Amino acid sequence: MRLRALILGVALSATPLSISTLSATSAAVAAEPEFDFTKPDVVGTGLVIPWGLAFLPDGSALVSERTSARILRLAPGSAPTEVARLTGVQPAGEGGLLGLAVSPTYAQDGYVYAYYTAANDNRIVRFKLAATPTQEVVRSGIPKASIHNGGRIHFGPDGMLYAGTGDAAQTANAQNPSSLGGKILRMRPDGSAPPDNPNPSSVVYTLGHRNVQGFGWGGGHMYATEFGQNTWDEVNHITAGANYGWPNVEGNGGEPTYRDPIVTWTTAQSSPSGGTVAGDTFYAAALRGTRLWQVPLNGTGGTSGSPTAALSGTYGRLREVAVGPDGHLWITTSNRDGRGTPASADDRVIRFPKVAR
């Protein structure tokens, strides 16, 4: 499986480095730890394949369950509470109810967004929290399959909605600009294409991806994770209209036509899903790698040193990572997805405080 982290506005000259290259570089320095991983606070237990994680203005978290189509509300010290259950979700394989996003104008419109697998496609809907909410489709026609459905959605600093999609096990989708598969999509909150997209009539923002399941912004740059096939997972820098090479390249290709990743790992070390930025570090949640990768950033779209691993094997498969309004780093586990070894409390949502300085 493959990871590509993507960064908006990274210079074309940014040098991609593999983890082995970084480790051998004497000048490489890991970023100062931002969070205290010795002080976990378990916010929720007993969840079934939590996938999406987003925060309401009051600081509470919304979490989606992939196979149940439930959306749960979590807050420290309280039991998870079901606040919505979506209709039309068709869970199968890696598909189901996936990413969540909260409208940046939630106080005015009350909208929550979800990416899910339906009968014939993957789609993005918006709705207001209710037991059985009325769902408005804002974008449909994203290719679906039992694997490679992508699924992460976030609002960017520009107020646009970004979505990571997969190639739906059809590698040709990734290089086809007419397909929404194997892409990062950028759209207005109503699902329409912004006029400043690479193609003003298309929501396609970047192409050449295998399976994008995480991204985040920091310092004016966007980063996203991507699953590799059998060899290299990646972290890529994202720029509008760029081509990241899949299926013609996995990992570093060194070809001017495609953007190389800024970091690569073997698939056993990572298989990354969610990603986020805090301070000068990009965090990537690893499924098969059962760890949280910390990638130090140099502020100009590249890395400043060796990626380091936290929580190695501590909580099993990690699906999502996000910085909450409380300043804590939140993670979700994915040990009940058929590929992990669940503990009695799984699946869990856990948060970690900032390091006391």
Side-chain angles (χ1 to χ4, degrees):
M1 298 171 99
R2 141 176 180 160
L3 156 64
R4 289 194 171 207
L6 310 157
I7 310 170
L8 278 168
V10 167
L12 287 172
S13 59
T15 302
L17 295 170
S18 70
I19 186 171
S20 58
T21 302
L22 286 167
S23 299
T25 304
S26 59
V29 179
E32 185 177 0
E34 186 83 10
F35 298 97
D36 190 342
F37 294 111
T38 69
K39 297 180 179 178
D41 177 24
V42 179
V43 182
T45 61
L47 281 68
V48 182
I49 320 177
W51 214 101
L53 174 66
F55 297 94
L56 294 172
D58 66 1
S60 62
L62 296 179
V63 177
S64 63
E65 288 186 328
R66 192 179 75 189
T67 56
S68 72
R70 297 196 307 164
I71 297 175
L72 306 174
R73 190 171 187 167
L74 280 71
S78 301
T81 302
E82 182 177 330
V83 292
R85 189 179 297 233
L86 300 191
T87 58
V89 178
Q90 297 286 319
E94 296 174 358
L97 177 55
L98 303 176
L100 294 177
V102 171
S103 168
T105 54
Y106 182 86
Q108 289 75 47
D109 58 43
Y111 279 132
V112 174
Y113 290 71
Y115 182 120
Y116 70 77
T117 309
N120 299 307
D121 62 2
N122 286 300
R123 54 183 51 193
I124 300 170
V125 299
R126 65 182 179 183
F127 51 91
K128 297 180 180 180
L129 294 176
T132 306
T134 300
Q135 300 166 199
E136 175 190 356
V137 178
V138 299
R139 178 56 56 175
S140 59
I142 302 168
K144 63 166 280 188
S146 62
I147 58 174
H148 304 180
N149 289 291
R152 196 68 61 193
I153 55 175
H154 282 297
F155 279 94
D158 56 3
M160 297 294 109
L161 180 64
Y162 290 76
T165 73
D167 67 10
Q170 299 294 322
T171 59
N173 284 336
Q175 291 294 326
N176 180 0
S178 297
S179 171
L180 299 182
K183 307 293 190 298
I184 290 180
L185 310 179
R186 178 178 183 261
M187 66 198 80
R188 292 189 179 108
D190 64 1
S192 62
D196 58 345
N197 265 8
N199 178 348
S201 64
S202 172
V203 295
V204 172
Y205 194 63
T206 61
L207 71 162
H209 301 290
R210 184 171 180 267
N211 195 17
V212 177
Q213 288 190 6
F215 39 82
W217 290 263
H221 302 286
M222 179 185 175
Y223 305 81
T225 65
E226 187 174 337
F227 290 88
Q229 185 170 7
N230 298 315
T231 309
W232 298 114
D233 291 329
E234 306 166 4
V235 174
N236 289 290
H237 156 227
I238 293 306
T239 55
N243 189 328
Y244 292 85
W246 178 256
N248 301 322
V249 176
E250 180 182 1
N252 294 318
E255 301 179 26
T257 305
Y258 308 123
R259 290 293 181 91
D260 277 343
I262 61 167
V263 173
T264 62
W265 295 281
T266 66
T267 55
Q269 291 174 310
S270 191
S271 298
S273 185
T276 194
V277 177
D280 61 356
T281 303
F282 177 73
Y283 295 86
L287 291 164
R288 185 179 173 194
T290 65
R291 69 197 77 177
L292 182 68
W293 280 110
Q294 305 168 105
V295 180
L297 305 172
N298 63 9
T300 60
T303 58
S304 63
S306 300
T308 56
L311 306 178
S312 295
T314 306
Y315 300 106
R317 294 165 58 81
L318 304 184
R319 172 68 66 181
E320 173 64 313
V321 56
V323 179
D326 54 9
H328 287 58
L329 190 72
W330 293 55
I331 64 168
T332 68
T333 69
S334 191
N335 293 315
R336 295 192 180 276
D337 62 6
R339 296 173 175 172
T341 304
S344 59
D346 280 332
D347 274 314
R348 289 169 281 180
V349 177
I350 306 161
R351 65 176 189 156
F352 301 90
K354 282 183 169 288
V355 171
R357 304 296 186 195

